[in-house]
Amino acid sequence: LAMVGQTIRERSVLMEGDVALVFGTAELRFAAPGKEEAVQNLRYTSTYVKRQGQWRMLALQMQQRAR
């Protein structure tokens, strides 16, 4: 399977100094040749840190979104 698309549905950002947490939901679409496209709805949390003036992702956690 290959990811063929992504739609961010919600996004919130919490910043404290040089650390930022991003929370949200996303719809990811996957496809394989000759097969129907698969869709996953996920909730995610990502952690960023600002180093030398640039934001860098440290961690990303995703889980299936409750329906």
Side-chain angles (χ1 to χ4, degrees), residues 23-44:
F23 308 93
T25 59
E27 177 185 278
L28 304 182
R29 294 177 305 283
F30 299 90
K35 295 196 176 188
E36 188 174 323
E37 190 174 275
V39 177
Q40 289 189 350
N41 288 294
L42 304 170
R43 178 167 298 284
Y44 67 89

Side-chain angles (χ1 to χ4, degrees), residues 18-20 47-51 54-58:
D18 289 343
V19 176
T47 305
Y48 291 83
V49 65
K50 193 172 189 180
R51 291 185 182 155
Q54 294 187 344
W55 288 100
R56 301 188 185 273
M57 183 186 290
L58 292 179

